[in-house]
Each structure stands twice: as C-alpha cells, then as structure tokens.
Amino acid sequence: MLRLPRTIEWKDGIVRLINQKELPDRLIYIETSDWRRVAKAIKDMEIRGAPAIGVAAGYALALFAYHWRGESLESFKRELFQAAEEVKKTRPTAVNLFWAVERILSKASQVSSIDEARRSIIEEAINIHKEDERANRRIGEIGAELIEDGDTIITVCNAGSLATSYWGTATAPMYVAREQGKNIRVIALETRPYLQGARLTAWELSQAGIDVVIATDNSIGILAMREKISLAIVGADRVTRIGWVANKLGTYPLALVSRVHNIPFYVAAPTSTLDLKSKDPTDFEIEKRDPSEVLYWKGTRIAPEGVNAIYYAFDLTPPQLITGIITEAGIIYPPYEKNIPRTLQRV
Ligand SMILES: CSC[C@H]1O[C@H](OP(=O)(O)O)[C@H](O)[C@@H]1O
C-alpha cells in the first residue's frame, strides 16, 4: 500500500502544498489562503511537475473565488480573469496549467451569481485534482504490464507522485509493479540543476521501499552499455498531436541512447498533457529559467565569476524515438498523428 504525503491539498479556503525545494532534507509545507502565494510557488518551483502545476493553478483560482469579497458579479469575473492571466504567466511549458485555468474560466462564464461562481470554481478545481489522481492510477496499472520481475528501469527528472496529485506518471507503473510483487530497480538520473531525480524521485521511491540508485545525467551512455536496463519511462510536460514530447532536460539524450541500445523508451502522461492544438515543437514555448539556478547551488557559486550559463528547463524528444505513450486511456503507439485520438482534444 503506497503511503506518500499528498503533494497538494485543499481545505476550506486553505491550500497546503509540499515545498519541494526543501526535500529531501525537510518535509515542510506551504499553507496559504492567498492565490498569489500559490502562483509564486509554481513560478519558484516550490511545487512543480506538469499535473501538479495544473492542480495548483486550479486551486489558486479557487482561493481567489473563496476569499473574494465584492458586490458585483461583473467585477468578480473581471478580477478573476486578471488573476488567471497572472497564474498563466508563472511557467510556459506545462500545458496542464493552461488547460486547468481554461476549465476554471469556462465554469465562471456560465454562472449568474457570485455564490454560484464560488461554488462552481471550487468544485471544478477539486475535480481537476481528483481526475488527475484517477488518471495516474490507471497509467500505473497499464504501465505495470510492461514491467517484469527483476527489471531495471531508468527515468529522468521527477515524474513522480510529487509531480502530480498522487502516484506520479512515470513512477505510477513502478508503484503498481511493486504492489504486484515485482522486484524492480530504478535508476534515477539526478537531473541538474534542480536535481528533481536525486532529490525528489530518489526520496519518494525510497520512501516506498523501491530499490533506487542515483546516476549523473552524463552517465547514460555507460549505463546503457553496462547496467542491463530493461526500459526507460519518463514524464512529459506537453505532448503534441504528432508525438513531440517536451520534458525535462536529459529526456532527449536518454531517448537517443535508448534507441541505440534497443531500450524501450516510454512516455507516461495523462491525456490532460496531450496538447492537440500543437503539432511541432515550435508551436509552444520552451521555458528558459534564470541562469543563476545553474551557476549556484544552495547559495554557493559553482562557476567562475563573470561566466554566465544557458538554462533551458526542458528539451524536446521527436516521436520517432518514443516506443509508446502510456496514458490512462491506454498505450498510444506510433504513428502518433494517426493514433492520438482526436476525441482527447482539450478545451
Ligand atoms: C509528471 S510530469 C513532470 C514533469 O515536470 C517536470 O518539470 P519541472 O520539474 O520543471 O516542473 C519534468 O519535466 C517532469 O517530467
């Protein structure tokens, strides 16, 4: 039975989320009634991971609605729209954030009173949260069928429970395989500079009693040669309708090495991460973050003074390197342009 802390929770106008920048040293929470504080947590990566970002965005607007004190529905809707614009500016690549905001705004456009708006927005934010957890569990059950007892699985970044409402996407098949009694070993690439793999994936898998080892991002070549890796499972921040995958730095090199060494390379993502409005990787923004996040670690500069850094926070993997996309609706295999169901088109 998986017993991990909940990434984010809503209770009576308060949002409580794990501050992931403090893991693995400390499990501490941010509790707030202020929607702007949740937006800041997304921007500063105190909460991160495409599905978790979508849930947090929904709850940010639910906090706005819960605590708004005004008279006119018109001003409520105008100020809600302004808050939504601020939430959308926090990070550009995870499509879940934009889809969650649009779902909330769509609900708000259908109401005729402030009380109805408040109720409907909070209910929709909770629905987004519950749907994500259900989807991840299904991804786990479907993905676990790809895993055999004794397998070694490699993953990059944290597409774990911490990146979602619960279970994770890439980690969900690992947790379900473990539930089924399969003994697995997971190689978690550390994922510089934020270290989602070394700090977060290693933490949650070890908490769950799964054998996990950390490896440096630049060791994937020798790992593929020497470690008998059974399969690779990674997450995604956005999947276009022809199967281009935006995910954390290191995903593309891992896909290339996996192809050369005949290691099946799966992307695990809920259908809420499929962005059918985008076709090519030029159709959306790849986040570039502050170079100081590369140049410093916990306040210590690791590069010479005067030397700058380039920091793309994601990379892009072409569809031809992807064995299959594990979703809650089943595994989608290439050719993705034909096999990604149009019925999954998001608002
Ligand atoms: C389950 S998707 C998680 C996805 O999000 C991560 O990015 P970040 O930590 O910058 O939010 C990474 O791309 C993961 O694969």
Side-chain angles (χ1 to χ4, degrees), residues 56-74:
Y59 279 145
L61 297 180
L63 284 177
F64 170 90
Y66 187 97
H67 296 287
W68 195 81
R69 294 292 175 266
E71 297 301 319
S72 92
L73 181 60
E74 189 191 344

Side-chain angles (χ1 to χ4, degrees), residues 20 42 45 47-53 91 94 96 132 136 155-164 168-170 191 194 196 200 234-238 246-249 251 268-270 273 287 289 311 313-315:
Q20 299 188 31
I42 296 170
M45 295 179 68
I47 185 167
R48 31 62 53 199
I53 287 172
R91 294 187 75 189
N96 306 58
D132 180 63
N136 299 335
T155 190
V156 63
C157 195
N158 172 252
S161 191
L162 288 165
T164 69
T169 55
T191 320
Y194 184 93
Q196 290 92 334
L200 306 179
V234 302
D237 284 72
R238 197 185 289 245
N247 196 43
K248 189 49 49 189
L249 290 182
T251 303
T273 303
E287 182 182 18
R289 291 183 67 88
Y311 181 18
F314 297 93
D315 66 18

